[in-house]
Amino acid sequence: MPVRQHQARPPRPPGRVVITLVLTLLAPLLLMLSATTLAAPAGAVDDVEETDPLAVSIDELDTVSLDGRTKGRITVRGKVSNTTEEEWAGVNIYPFVGNTPITTSAELAEAAKLPADALVGERIVAEGAYAKVPDLEPGETYSWSLTVPRKLLQITEPGVYWFGVHALGATTPTTADGRARTFLPLVKEPNKKAKAEKVSLVMPLRRSVVYDADGSVSYLPGWTRDLRAGGRLYRMLETGAEMPSLTWAIDPALIDAVRNLAEGNPARNLAPTDGPEESPEESGGQSASASASALLPSPSPSTDADADAEEPIDEETKAAQKAATTWLNRLEDAFAGHDLLALPYADPDLSALATSDPDLLASAREQTSQVLAELGIKATPAAAPPTGYLDRAAVNLLEPGAVNLVSDRMFRGTAPVVADLDGHEMIVTSSGAAAGGPGPNDFLDAISVRQRLVAEAALLRGSGKPLVAVLPDGWHPPQDAASFVAPWNEAAWISSSTLTEAVAGHKATSVAAEKLRYPRREMRAEISAERIRTANELVGAGKMLQRVLTHNDEVAADILNEALTTTSYSARRGYTDAGADALSYVGAQLSSITVDVPPKVILSSMKGGEFQVSLSNELDEPVTVRLDAMTDESLRVATSEPVQLDANSKASFNLAASMRDTGTHTALIVVTDTKGNPLGAHASVPIRPSQVSGVIWWFVGTGCALLFAAIAVRLTRRIMKAKKARTSGEA
């Protein structure tokens, strides 16, 4: 029988206890001194967590579970790294196994939360069952492998057991210097008629998508890292291609972004797009699954002169382009034979939009239908919030006939297999299965996620309930998909099922609204109403830009897609408002169509006259706009007919104006789209009539009349006086 040693930490030296006590007593005094004399900021010193000097990982485990037999072997592979600045010698990797089975999902959840140094199993030190590691220099990593005979595990009762490895150095023969842990279920076959446990896995194909203000995809290095062969998104496709009966939950915004990268990540396209449409025969029609020809962007025709004028692509963009093309070529195989669910475009925050802007949510669903139809992908509409929660408003807006996935944490008490709230059905998924494994390793690494899934499935066996699990968004797919999936396929007690197969025979259980949970942390995390308003303003600006561009009928949809990405679940943790940046950029483009007016206008008469204005188009594409005027009641300026301007051109024409009274009035000349919506550019001009007022002419006429009358009177008097003088002289 092999010798077993318990995992334990050595007792703390008495001196350290005394020091800790003294520091505890002096802490208030030290804090006072630091606040008054040193003025140190609060929280300047953080507690330093202890870390293992040897970092250990489990990368491969050639079985997902055990049965009651004691025959066979278990092979485990992984890595060990020296995280210290000293050389480590005589390191051995020992397997360990728990001796008490975990029998409920609640116990499993509590076990996953145990600290890394908790005593959870006994180390197996039998010769040949452990791996020897050569001397490790600081920072050096070594790949280890060990094989454990099944009989050494000595577990027979059904349940879930701790399983993992300890790394021990030569100077620490009893204390683990590094640990890696996971779960390993033991599943007995009571008889040959025992039913396999139905397990339905959903793999979301979504990622944070952020666009720069000009419409190009942001942060290319991250995309290159994820999309290239060996990258996270690429490994997801490889794993999906190997998995049986997998369901994909697709965000079309991710595919759109990758296609944009494959095109060289161009900025938003304002060029003409209203050419003749392809017939179904020319385009190849719509297929049931994605095809490489539809997914990969087609080169746009261009002349040699245009090709010479194009700016050279930088190395960062080239790398992203290559990685995107590689990924798109793999996508078709990954989707083949699997059920496809279609998330609303950009995977928007359903609860936030349901409350603040249901119309924007409807637009997201319409965009999904349109994009997937263009790519030849047939998928069932779906909702699958990453957190698993929907509030009542979001539930009320679920699409009829859609597949809606929510977490069992959303229900108070025992969650049903399928829930029905006022006619809205929701398939309930396992929060435990999506939670991943225990520390100290990454709880979302490949083995941790797989073993937590099978552990939850094993605990459900015999209950009649299926396991429906949505893989967590941040999980790390395996480096070797085949070796990861093979043990899953070999487990006869697991029946990989589609969602339809998994819930077959389970009628929807009616639930009351009071039974639903929507935590406050979810409400606090929702996309803000301000960001949703900004997204709506960006959508409106996109529609306006399309009306202005004479020959472009696609830019509004492009900008809508960009706006939707700013309302996604992934945007909840974003620190920058890409929507506001894009809105400012599009606004600047619209404002680049300007109007010039004369310093002042003098009309030839109050009844009417014309004055000249000039329009300038600084965009590289032709536009169609109108001019409108904002005036008071005494001045009227006619609105212009739509005016077409060539790219980077200027045109002049006359506007008619008329006035009701005298004086100077100001007209604000505004550039608008064809529907009269202001674009941003404007100019003001003072206008007055050139004729003198009628009152002034009355005064002038009256004055002249009086003058002539006075002259006539004086002449008459002189004549009369002269005549009288002559008459008197004769007498």
Side-chain angles (χ1 to χ4, degrees):
M1 179 177 297
V3 179
R4 296 173 180 255
Q5 296 178 348
H6 287 279
Q7 173 191 0
R9 282 189 176 274
R12 294 182 180 271
R16 292 182 62 182
V17 176
V18 174
I19 294 173
T20 302
L21 179 61
V22 172
L23 290 176
T24 302
L25 295 174
L26 292 178
L29 179 59
L30 292 175
L31 288 175
M32 291 177 60
L33 290 174
S34 62
T36 57
T37 62
L38 300 178
V45 179
D46 297 327
D47 292 334
V48 179
E49 295 183 0
E50 293 185 8
T51 58
D52 290 334
L54 298 176
V56 186
S57 66
I58 298 176
D59 301 329
E60 290 185 30
L61 179 60
D62 70 347
T63 184
V64 297
S65 62
L66 303 173
D67 55 28
R69 297 174 297 177
T70 59
K71 296 180 180 180
R73 295 174 177 271
I74 299 174
T75 300
V76 192
R77 295 184 178 88
K79 296 182 180 66
V80 57
S81 300
N82 179 5
T83 65
T84 70
E85 297 181 357
E86 300 176 356
E87 181 185 83
W88 277 70
V91 175
N92 292 328
I93 307 293
Y94 295 95
F96 77 86
V97 67
N99 49 22
T100 305
I102 300 168
T103 57
T104 68
S105 183
E107 291 178 4
L108 188 63
E110 289 300 318
K113 298 177 183 177
L114 289 176
D117 60 352
L119 178 62
V120 295
E122 296 184 348
R123 193 176 304 132
I124 300 173
V125 296
E127 190 66 33
Y130 59 89
K132 295 182 179 181
V133 178
D135 296 349
L136 290 175
E137 297 293 335
E140 187 177 1
T141 299
Y142 177 78
S143 296
W144 54 265
S145 174
L146 60 85
T147 299
V148 187
R150 170 66 178 86
K151 62 183 179 181
L152 295 183
L153 298 183
Q154 297 185 357
I155 54 176
T156 57
E157 293 299 317
V160 177
Y161 291 85
W162 282 99
F163 181 77
V165 295
H166 292 160
L168 278 73
T171 58
T172 54
T174 60
T175 304
D177 300 300
R179 307 165 179 82
R181 311 182 300 175
T182 188
F183 297 119
L184 186 63
L186 188 153
V187 180
K188 281 189 175 181
E189 290 282 358
N191 54 60
K192 294 183 179 180
K193 296 182 180 180
K195 292 183 179 180
E197 174 65 19
K198 292 181 179 178
V199 179
S200 181
L201 296 184
V202 180
M203 186 182 296
L205 192 61
R206 53 189 170 193
R207 180 194 188 277
S208 173
V209 177
V210 180
Y211 287 94
D212 287 330
D214 65 354
S216 59
V217 179
S218 183
Y219 189 54
L220 299 191
W223 283 98
T224 301
R225 181 184 64 245
D226 287 351
L227 294 172
R228 66 190 176 193
R232 180 179 174 276
L233 290 176
Y234 190 86
R235 285 184 282 121
M236 284 182 65
L237 299 186
E238 289 190 314
T239 305
E242 294 286 339
M243 289 292 293
S245 299
L246 180 73
T247 300
W248 288 100
I250 311 165
D251 175 12
L254 170 62
I255 299 178
D256 263 358
V258 177
R259 295 181 77 241
N260 198 66
L261 293 173
E263 292 177 347
N265 198 29
R268 192 178 300 113
N269 180 27
L270 305 185
T273 58
D274 57 358
E277 296 183 358
E278 291 183 346
S279 64
E281 293 79 9
E282 293 172 338
S283 62
Q286 180 174 323
S287 61
S289 61
S291 64
S293 60
L295 292 169
L296 290 173
S298 56
S300 57
S302 61
T303 64
D304 294 338
D306 292 335
D308 293 339
E310 291 180 358
E311 295 184 2
I313 300 178
D314 57 61
E315 293 301 321
E316 188 176 87
T317 304
K318 283 182 180 179
Q321 186 176 30
K322 180 180 178 181
T325 303
T326 300
W327 190 84
L328 290 172
N329 279 322
R330 192 74 175 89
L331 192 61
E332 181 181 4
D333 291 339
F335 284 174
H338 294 313
D339 288 354
L340 305 181
L341 302 180
L343 301 173
Y345 194 93
D347 192 31
D349 191 328
L350 299 176
S351 297
L353 289 188
T355 302
S356 300
D357 198 335
D359 291 339
L360 199 57
L361 177 56
S363 296
R365 289 168 174 160
E366 291 172 3
Q367 286 302 101
T368 284
S369 299
Q370 181 176 339
V371 170
L372 293 185
E374 291 173 355
L375 297 176
I377 298 175
K378 290 184 178 180
T380 303
T387 61
Y389 289 102
L390 293 174
D391 69 357
R392 178 63 187 272
V395 172
N396 290 340
L397 291 181
L398 292 175
E399 292 181 273
V403 174
N404 306 305
L405 304 172
V406 296
S407 170
D408 52 16
R409 295 184 300 174
M410 186 173 145
F411 300 87
R412 303 181 190 279
T414 303
V417 176
V418 181
D420 182 298
L421 177 64
D422 297 336
H424 302 288
E425 291 191 1
M426 298 166 283
I427 297 175
V428 181
T429 66
S430 170
S431 59
N441 311 108
D442 188 337
F443 65 98
L444 293 181
D445 69 33
I447 293 299
S448 294
V449 169
R450 189 190 72 180
Q451 293 306 116
R452 180 64 182 271
L453 283 168
V454 295
E456 294 286 353
L459 296 177
L460 275 178
R461 191 157 186 256
S463 68
K465 292 184 176 181
L467 178 73
V468 179
V470 179
L471 291 170
D473 286 335
W475 85 293
H476 310 304
Q479 296 292 338
D480 184 352
S483 64
F484 175 84
V485 176
W488 178 283
N489 294 333
E490 292 170 1
W493 64 273
I494 295 177
S495 174
S496 295
S497 309
T498 65
L499 283 171
T500 303
E501 293 169 346
V503 301
H506 295 273
K507 294 183 178 180
T509 302
S510 180
V511 296
E514 294 75 20
K515 193 177 180 181
L516 300 183
R517 295 178 62 248
Y518 193 69
R520 289 188 178 182
R521 66 175 182 275
E522 281 293 307
M523 290 187 281
R524 290 193 297 267
E526 285 180 6
I527 296 294
S528 67
E530 181 181 356
R531 285 204 173 186
I532 294 175
R533 282 194 298 270
T534 301
N536 253 320
E537 291 175 8
L538 180 56
V539 173
K543 293 178 180 178
M544 188 181 299
L545 182 59
Q546 180 165 304
R547 286 194 294 268
V548 167
L549 295 170
T550 307
H551 301 295
N552 188 301
D553 57 4
E554 295 180 0
V555 69
D558 293 340
I559 293 178
L560 169 61
N561 293 345
E562 295 168 27
L564 288 171
T565 63
T566 68
T567 67
S568 70
Y569 281 103
S570 61
R572 281 182 170 187
R573 55 183 181 270
Y575 297 102
T576 59
D577 192 349
D581 295 340
L583 180 61
S584 177
Y585 187 93
V586 175
Q589 289 181 309
L590 292 170
S591 298
S592 66
I593 307 168
T594 59
V595 59
D596 291 324
V597 298
K600 61 182 178 178
V601 173
I602 301 177
L603 300 179
S604 58
S605 74
M606 289 180 58
K607 293 183 178 180
E610 293 184 343
F611 63 97
Q612 189 177 72
V613 298
S614 62
L615 273 172
S616 298
N617 174 25
E618 297 178 7
L619 295 177
D620 295 331
E621 303 297 335
V623 298
T624 302
V625 296
R626 291 173 56 185
L627 287 179
D628 201 354
M630 301 175 64
T631 64
D632 57 27
E633 295 180 354
S634 299
L635 176 62
R636 182 175 181 272
V637 177
T639 303
S640 74
E641 294 297 322
V643 178
Q644 291 190 10
L645 293 174
D646 291 334
N648 299 301
S649 67
K650 179 181 289 188
S652 299
F653 54 94
N654 294 332
L655 291 180
S658 61
M659 302 184 70
R660 292 185 180 180
D661 59 22
T662 61
T664 300
H665 298 269
T666 299
L668 184 66
I669 310 301
V670 181
V671 184
T672 72
D673 62 14
T674 53
K675 289 189 176 182
N677 300 301
L679 303 184
H682 58 269
S684 59
V685 55
I687 302 176
R688 67 177 179 83
S690 62
Q691 68 184 65
V692 182
S693 171
V695 176
I696 296 176
W697 284 115
W698 184 85
F699 280 110
V700 172
T702 302
C704 291
L706 290 174
L707 176 61
F708 287 120
I711 293 172
V713 170
R714 293 189 67 179
L715 287 174
T716 302
R717 286 179 178 177
R718 284 183 180 179
I719 294 171
M720 293 294 293
K721 186 176 181 181
K723 185 176 180 181
K724 185 177 182 180
R726 285 195 304 269
T727 305
S728 298
E730 292 176 357

